[in-house]
Amino acid sequence: MAKMKIKKGDQVVVIAGKDKGKRGEVLAAMPQEHKVVVSGVAVAKKHQKAAGPNQQGGIVEKEAKIDVSNVALVDPTGDKATRVGYKFLDDGTKVRFAKKSGEVIK
């Protein structure tokens, strides 16, 4: 299985699907399933039953998982979608960088 280059906390843009063009932060990354959860994207409505006297039932909106191939990292400088690469710095640490601008990603 290929390694996921998108991590939790990254700013991404959706490049395919019904939410194409939307931006958000990655809330969770699931490398085994090759999926991510992005804030404000793929919002599904779930009918939830009341679990007890202090938890109310109703319709709850929740972000669903989407495939990582449908999102791209937002370039920190250009504010556009970019691919991700890896390189080693002079001190030997491995970092991710935006291929479009060459900028190191936190």
Side-chain angles (χ1 to χ4, degrees):
M1 181 179 272
K3 182 179 176 184
M4 276 182 29
K5 297 180 179 183
I6 307 280
K7 310 266 186 236
K8 181 180 176 181
D10 286 345
Q11 288 293 324
V12 294
V13 60
V14 179
I15 57 174
K18 68 176 180 123
D19 291 319
K20 182 176 181 178
K22 286 189 179 177
R23 292 169 181 255
E25 182 180 338
V26 176
L27 300 175
M30 293 148 239
Q32 296 83 10
E33 301 175 38
H34 218 267
K35 297 197 180 283
V36 291
V37 177
V38 182
S39 65
V41 175
V43 177
K45 291 186 177 185
K46 180 181 177 185
H47 295 259
Q48 187 148 347
K49 191 175 177 180
N54 51 354
Q55 186 183 359
Q56 201 173 7
I59 300 172
V60 179
E61 289 191 350
K62 181 179 174 185
E63 287 94 357
K65 299 183 254 186
I66 59 172
D67 200 270
V68 74
S69 65
N70 293 336
V71 297
L73 194 74
V74 174
D75 195 338
T77 57
D79 205 39
K80 292 205 173 201
T82 183
R83 293 183 301 175
V84 180
Y86 289 96
K87 66 180 176 182
F88 290 95
L89 298 178
D90 294 332
D91 61 352
T93 57
K94 186 178 180 180
V95 293
R96 296 183 302 156
F97 73 98
K99 291 225 176 175
K100 207 166 246 188
S101 66
E103 187 77 23
V104 172
I105 301 164
K106 59 170 178 141

